[in-house]
Amino acid sequence: MEKNVTQGQYVAGEGFLRKLDPRLKLYFLIGYVILVLLSVHPLALGLSSVVLIAAWGMSFCPLLSLLKSARGVLIMLAVSELICWIWLPTATVLITFWKVFLITLMSVIISRTTEPRDILDGLRSGFWIGEGAAMSVAIAFDFLPQLGREMERLKVAAASRGAVYEEGNPLQRVTQMIPLLIPLFRSTLRHAGQVADAMDLRGYHAGEKRTRVEPLEYHKIDRIAAALMVVYAAGVLVIRFLL
């Protein structure tokens, strides 16, 4: 069961996307979110979809694994869009669903192809974010799969005592999960305390300037990727304001 817990988890491997500078990937993700939200014409959404497919191809991540990572968000999105379907036109609901779907999958692809350490360095050097805030974000990325694994362990332990989580309607299943929240909360606090103790033992101080064995540096492959991003942004903006 733990093999299905992949939210926010980096997966080592090869591919064009993994070789890019983490600052560039963070810039691209922010720009992609903005451009997708600005997209109104179906042609612009189609272009954003092509970019997503290209990023997926360069990530070498199995599609089924990406969908499993985003299934929680996608389920909530589908339910909310079905509710909105009562008041909004079908075209508006479908466009909104597709926009959030693109943003969610692109975020998963970036997180699966970027190490938390690189995300930390990218935030610190690319956005002038304080060391404490950047470290908090990096730890959060590490904690997401850890919380998922802990929830799976709690479910297995409860199922061994006779609890049933796979029967009943969705509301009943959610209600059955509520008793697991208290032990999950306690486990989260315990893990947070262990991380804090480990950082104290290593002499970590948020105000100190940290160094890196291999400083971040843009290479030729990053310049090529940046040029492709500019072409994509120009295409979306032309479609947005001229069509």
Side-chain angles (χ1 to χ4, degrees), residues 46-198:
L47 181 58
S48 298
S49 302
V50 171
V51 172
L52 176 68
I53 294 173
W56 167 64
M58 291 184 292
S59 68
F60 287 88
C61 292
L63 179 59
L64 184 59
S65 177
L66 295 177
L67 294 176
K68 284 183 178 180
S69 297
R71 61 184 175 183
V73 176
L74 296 180
I75 290 174
M76 290 189 293
L77 174 63
V79 173
S80 62
E81 292 300 319
L82 287 175
I83 296 174
C84 293
W85 202 358
I86 301 175
W87 297 281
L88 298 177
T90 302
T92 303
V93 172
L94 292 178
I95 290 176
T96 303
F97 176 84
W98 192 246
K99 285 183 178 181
V100 180
F101 177 80
L102 293 176
I103 293 173
T104 302
L105 278 192
M106 184 60 76
S107 302
V108 172
I109 290 174
I110 295 299
S111 66
R112 297 291 296 277
T113 56
T114 310
E115 293 188 56
R117 175 176 59 89
D118 292 333
I119 293 177
L120 171 62
D121 292 335
L123 289 173
R124 187 170 50 224
S125 61
F127 294 88
W128 300 281
I129 296 177
E131 176 66 26
M135 179 61 72
S136 299
V137 174
I139 292 176
F141 270 93
D142 281 338
F143 257 74
L144 286 175
Q146 177 64 37
L147 290 177
R149 287 190 290 267
E150 190 65 29
M151 175 61 81
E152 292 294 337
R153 293 191 186 100
L154 292 173
K155 288 175 63 177
V156 171
S160 65
R161 295 178 176 88
V164 179
Y165 297 102
E166 305 298 331
E167 297 181 359
N169 56 48
L171 181 59
Q172 291 174 338
R173 294 184 183 182
V174 172
T175 304
Q176 293 167 353
M177 298 289 289
I178 293 177
L180 298 179
L181 296 180
I182 295 177
L184 180 64
F185 183 69
R186 291 180 58 188
S187 175
T188 302
L189 292 179
R190 185 176 67 254
H191 286 304
Q194 292 173 350
V195 171
D197 292 339

Side-chain angles (χ1 to χ4, degrees), residues 193-205:
Q194 292 173 350
V195 171
D197 292 339
M199 294 173 70
D200 288 338
L201 289 174
R202 289 168 174 80
Y204 174 79
H205 298 284

